[in-house]
Amino acid sequence: MSEEVKKFKVTIDGQTTEVDPGTSILEAARQIGGKSVPPAMCYYKPLEGSGGRCRTCLVEVSKGSEADPRPMPKLVASCRTTVMDGMEIKNSTSERVLDAREGVTEFLLINHPLDCPVCDQAGECHLQDLGYVHGLEETRTEFTRRTFEPEDIGPYIKLNMNRCILCARCVLAANQLTEEREHGILFRGDHAEISTYLNKALENDFIGNVIDVCPVGALTDRTSRFASRVWFTKPMNAHCECDKCSGKAVLWMKGEEIIRVTARKDQFDEVQDWICNDCRFHKKDLKLWTVEGPRHIDRHSVISLNHYEKPENMISMLNNPDAKELSPKDEEKSRKGIDENFLLM
């Protein structure tokens, strides 16, 4: 009979949980949930070797462990630092962490263009969310931004290198999902860029998944480019018969039209089941899918504007303690009142 592994007690922002030895601080924070979870632009649990590049997940370790309670002198990357028994960590409650996160966000936005109004990723972009919370009103850099021309790296994928933050998620996904990787990071330092070898096209059966893992709008779907803003579409869980993948996907629909198809993601926006190119790019006919129902979208973003289906018995956390959530009937009355006032103007 195997011995039971002793779990480590970890406290993050005053909340304690028990995790297995070897668990990273970030995964321990995700187990707690809420504001204790640091943002992550490069870490992606399904991809082995991800993390440690963007530095947005920095946290303060105020107590190393029960055996050695001394605090760590510097902020650490939570995705690359494993927990110790009795460790105490500060994330959203640390001024040092918030100040460092603002600095990291400023660095990520130094070369990133402010083209959210024309970017297909707007509304579900992690850098957009990060910039809204921690970004500055204007840049302080005096240097010229790096600029690149948009590039088609295959029949289905558009690369906008201007928006890339070099998180390397797409490279890791191609390494682990395809037999032969055909793109990577070229050059070094401020000359580094994602590109293919001599403009080679990316045509592997699962290469479309690099679009889903990209946290910004650097890699987008050419088949749905500029078709619709994401908050005007309705995501529906659906499945189909496929001999290459699980066939489980999300259909982003506008009326009866399928605008785009993506893989299903969990609450941390990480892919649950990879899908093939046939399901993603070619099956845009509703007859090819069995629709299961609306998919709940829970993001602090404009993507949640249309109030998609909520889980039963879900308690809404309101930022204003004096506010109250409108019932559907009250919301309809309010909307009619706004329309009538608009007509009288």
Side-chain angles (χ1 to χ4, degrees):
M1 185 176 180
S2 60
E3 295 183 3
E4 186 177 351
V5 178
K6 180 187 176 183
K7 293 198 172 186
F8 288 169
K9 285 188 177 181
V10 185
T11 303
I12 304 176
D13 287 346
Q15 301 179 81
T16 303
T17 186
E18 291 187 350
V19 298
D20 294 325
T23 303
S24 67
I25 294 175
L26 179 57
E27 286 300 324
R30 287 182 172 184
Q31 187 170 309
I32 294 174
K35 293 184 178 180
S36 298
V37 183
M41 299 293 294
C42 65
Y43 176 77
Y44 209 79
K45 187 177 180 180
L47 298 177
E48 185 180 348
S50 65
R53 291 179 174 86
C54 69
R55 279 355 210 197
T56 58
C57 68
L58 291 174
V59 294
E60 178 183 349
V61 179
S62 56
K63 179 181 177 181
S65 65
E66 287 292 346
D68 186 1
R70 292 177 299 173
M72 291 188 179
K74 295 182 179 181
L75 303 181
V76 298
S78 60
C79 66
R80 286 290 191 174
T81 307
T82 55
V83 300
M84 298 296 291
D85 192 22
M87 181 179 278
E88 295 182 4
I89 300 139
K90 293 181 180 179
N91 176 42
S92 60
T93 58
S94 171
E95 291 295 330
R96 291 176 61 198
V97 168
L98 297 179
D99 185 56
R101 203 160 285 162
E102 287 181 5
V104 171
T105 304
E106 184 178 5
F107 272 114
L108 291 177
L109 290 171
I110 280 180
N111 289 306
H112 193 88
L114 299 180
D115 57 356
C116 300
V118 297
C119 178
D120 282 321
Q121 190 82 357
E124 50 185 358
C125 174
H126 291 271
L127 187 57
Q128 193 177 38
D129 298 342
L130 199 66
Y132 181 79
V133 178
H134 301 287
L136 301 177
E137 292 184 1
E138 57 184 25
T139 182
R140 295 185 295 176
T141 182
E142 298 176 356
F143 298 97
T144 306
R145 293 177 185 265
R146 296 196 316 165
T147 56
F148 301 85
E149 289 296 323
E151 181 183 356
D152 294 334
I153 52 175
Y156 309 117
I157 303 173
K158 172 74 75 172
L159 170 64
N160 286 78
M161 190 57 211
N162 289 342
R163 304 169 183 164
C164 181
I165 60 171
L166 295 173
C167 69
R169 282 184 183 178
C170 63
V171 179
L172 293 172
N175 260 341
Q176 297 168 33
L177 294 178
T178 64
E179 296 179 357
E180 294 183 2
R181 176 168 58 85
E182 297 164 333
H183 78 293
I185 300 177
L186 306 183
F187 313 119
R188 301 174 65 183
D190 63 343
H191 295 287
E193 63 176 281
I194 297 287
S195 187
T196 60
Y197 181 66
L198 295 179
N199 295 326
K200 188 176 178 62
L202 305 183
E203 298 177 333
N204 188 277
D205 284 340
F206 283 82
I207 198 62
N209 289 285
V210 300
I211 299 171
D212 282 341
V213 302
C214 182
V216 293
L219 295 169
T220 51
D221 184 346
R222 288 183 62 193
T223 65
S224 62
R225 190 167 170 80
F226 303 137
S228 174
R229 307 306 293 183
V230 68
W231 52 88
F232 293 139
T233 60
K234 189 170 185 179
M236 306 291 286
N237 281 339
H239 64 271
C240 68
E241 294 183 4
C242 182
D243 55 359
K244 294 181 181 179
C245 66
S246 65
K248 296 178 181 179
V250 178
L251 310 182
W252 297 80
M253 301 182 64
K254 198 171 184 180
E256 296 296 316
E257 181 186 2
I258 299 176
I259 300 296
R260 64 171 181 152
V261 180
T262 63
R264 297 188 187 185
K265 298 182 179 182
D266 60 18
Q267 59 180 320
F268 304 113
D269 214 34
E270 295 177 348
V271 172
Q272 296 170 320
D273 289 305
W274 308 105
I275 60 174
C276 64
N277 286 359
D278 289 339
C279 292
R280 183 184 299 273
F281 301 120
H282 300 303
K283 296 183 179 180
K284 296 293 182 71
D285 189 346
L286 195 57
K287 297 177 182 177
L288 300 174
W289 295 92
T290 301
V291 178
E292 301 169 12
R295 184 170 184 83
H296 172 59
I297 300 295
D298 185 16
R299 284 178 64 95
H300 297 290
S301 169
V302 71
I303 190 177
S304 299
L305 176 67
N306 290 333
H307 305 293
Y308 299 126
E309 181 181 291
K310 298 178 181 179
E312 293 182 6
N313 303 322
M314 189 184 83
I315 301 174
S316 295
M317 300 298 292
L318 300 171
N319 292 328
N320 184 356
D322 298 324
K324 67 176 182 177
E325 192 169 25
L326 293 176
S327 65
K329 189 179 291 184
D330 293 334
E331 196 171 355
E332 184 66 25
K333 288 181 180 178
S334 176
R335 189 180 298 112
K336 286 181 178 179
I338 293 173
D339 294 341
E340 290 173 359
N341 291 335
F342 181 76
L343 291 172
L344 292 173
M345 289 177 64

